């Protein structure tokens, strides 16, 4: 095991490898730096085609090589030498590569080639000067250390630039989503301009998606890159382009798996706000239990009749107060049984046997309930318009949770008063 800088044995000691280098080695290197730089540049341009460019690019390459060589020699001359300038320079290179849309592969290859050339020249000189193996090993280690430090600085600058670009792009995409949801709609030109800035090709159609709040600690779902997303809104929202295209429905379902999500209707881009409004209304009914999510993606178009029914609940309550008044004086359990039977009767074409099958009760029970309903509602059951009204309010009643269902019946009670008034109305 190698002896460390303190004279003991073990891993590299504090300050290594720089403390193992003789200071006079720097003076032997200085006169040859220009020649070494020329060799490094020629080798880099020959091996890394991205750097074989005329003009400013060659000038930048020479500047980088010369700065690295001078930095290395200064470190050899002074083991405590530190320079933020060289690391800042390579951070700037990393940011520049990111800004040009390139990876760091070419730069890292160039650094490896440059280090190889430098090591080759140092090894040749060491042979002529009879440099001890320990010193030669320290030089090689120092070269690798500098290469790693500068590569890390470039990677840091690259990551910073990428994060800044991604952050700005995300801000543009959020502003675009806000613009698409604007009411009244934004001008098509404004949408097109911001879409271009956000690198979002404007599709022919879109669908808005409203997301339920995920449980605390859960990860946000990952969306395809063409989906606009803003999970910071009061209701996290998406805009999905071309939702009815081939395979898009499956793609949406996969991306939203395990998330409470409501997809609004497909609309032209200019009407994205309308899709968002219906998605929000559908999500509100899902939250109330009126529409069942069943753990999957909910599509507003599959629940349009329910959405229409709950578009104006005060109006439905008023209609319920009028049409369900004959039930208001009964016990809650009686109201439930008769309302359920009446709805099944209306939905089954007024066929008692089918009602019995729907409700899983004996036909005689159904006929008994129907006689009660005839007594309560009288000629109302013969009028098709009144039957239509009854089906509307009974559907709403069946969909609502028990608390909201009581709201409809409370409205009926308030509208017709106490039992005596209901009886007179029934008659």
């Amino acid at each position: 095991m190698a002896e460390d800088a303190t004279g003991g044995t073990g891993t590299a000691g504090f300050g290594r490898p720089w403390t193992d280098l003789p200071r006079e080695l720097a003076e032997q290197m200085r006169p040859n730096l220009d020649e070494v730089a020329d060799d490094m540049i020629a080798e880099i341009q020959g091996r890394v085609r991205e750097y074989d460019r005329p003009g400013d690019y060659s000038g930048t390459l020479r500047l980088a090589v010369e700065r690295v060589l001078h930095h290395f020699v200064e470190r050899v001359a002074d083991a405590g030498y530190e320079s933020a300038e060289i690391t800042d320079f390579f951070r700037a290179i990393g940011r520049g590569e990111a800004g040009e849309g390139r990876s760091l592969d070419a730069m890292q290859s160039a650094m490896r080639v440059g280090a190889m050339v430098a090591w080759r020249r140092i090894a040749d000189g060491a042979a002529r000067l009879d440099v001890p193996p320990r010193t030669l090993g320290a030089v090689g280690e120092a070269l690798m250390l500098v290469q790693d430090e500068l590569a890390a600085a470039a990677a840091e600058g690259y990551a910073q630039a990428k994060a800044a670009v991604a952050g700005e792009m995300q801000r543009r995409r959020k502003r675009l989503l806000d613009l698409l949801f604007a009411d009244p709609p934004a001008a098509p030109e404004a949408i097109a301009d911001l879409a271009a800035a956000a690198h979002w090709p404007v599709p022919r159609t879109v669908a808005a998606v409203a997301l339920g709040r995920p449980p605390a600690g859960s990860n946000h779902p990952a969306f395809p890159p063409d989906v606009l997303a803003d999970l910071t809104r009061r209701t996290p929202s998406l805009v999905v382009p071309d939702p009815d295209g081939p395979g898009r429905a499956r793609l949406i379902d996969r991306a939203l798996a395990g998330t409470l999500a409501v997809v609004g209707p497909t609309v032209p881009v200019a009407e994205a706000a309308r899709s968002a409004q219906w998605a929000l209304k559908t999500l509100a009914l899902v939250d109330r239990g009126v529409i069942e999510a069943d753990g999957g993606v909910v599509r507003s178009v599959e629940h349009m009749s329910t959405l229409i029914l709950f578009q104006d609940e005060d109006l439905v309550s008023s209609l319920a107060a009028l049409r369900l008044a004959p039930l208001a004086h009964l016990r809650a359990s009686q109201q439930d049984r008769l309302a359920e039977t009446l709805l099944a009767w209306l939905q089954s074409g007024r066929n008692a046997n089918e009602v019995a099958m729907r409700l899983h009760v004996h036909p005689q029970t159904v006929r008994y309930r129907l006689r009660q309903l005839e007594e309560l509602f009288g000629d109302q059951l013969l009028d098709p318009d009144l039957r239509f009204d009854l089906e509307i309010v009974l559907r709403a009643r069946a969909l609502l949770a028990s608390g909201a269902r009581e709201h409809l019946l409370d409205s009926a009670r308030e509208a017709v008063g106490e039992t005596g008034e209901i009886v007179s109305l029934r008659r």
Side-chain angles (χ1 to χ4, degrees), residues 324-331 334-335 338-339 342 373 376-377 394 397 409 422:
L324 298 182
L327 299 179
H329 72 290
L330 302 175
R331 295 192 308 275
Q334 289 178 299
Q335 293 171 4
L338 290 177
L342 181 54
L373 289 167
L376 291 168
F377 287 91
L394 289 168
R397 187 183 190 280
L409 290 171
I422 295 174

Side-chain angles (χ1 to χ4, degrees), residues 247-265:
R248 295 292 286 177
R250 289 193 301 274
L251 182 66
I252 294 170
D253 288 349
R254 284 198 302 271
L256 297 173
T259 303
L260 174 56
V262 175
V263 181

Side-chain angles (χ1 to χ4, degrees), residues 176-194:
L176 176 58
L177 189 143
D178 290 339
L179 199 62
L180 290 171
F181 286 172
D183 187 18
E189 296 80 8
I191 292 174
D193 289 346
L194 188 50

Side-chain angles (χ1 to χ4, degrees), residues 139-189:
V139 172
E141 186 178 349
L143 274 174
M144 289 187 289
L145 184 60
V146 168
Q147 178 182 329
D148 288 346
E149 289 173 350
L150 300 183
E156 182 182 349
Y158 187 88
Q160 290 171 348
K162 280 292 188 181
V165 169
E168 177 58 28
M169 194 61 62
Q170 186 61 29
R171 285 189 290 273
R172 292 177 185 174
R173 290 167 75 90
K174 287 183 177 180
R175 290 199 299 271
L176 176 58
L177 189 143
D178 290 339
L179 199 62
L180 290 171
F181 286 172
D183 187 18
E189 296 80 8

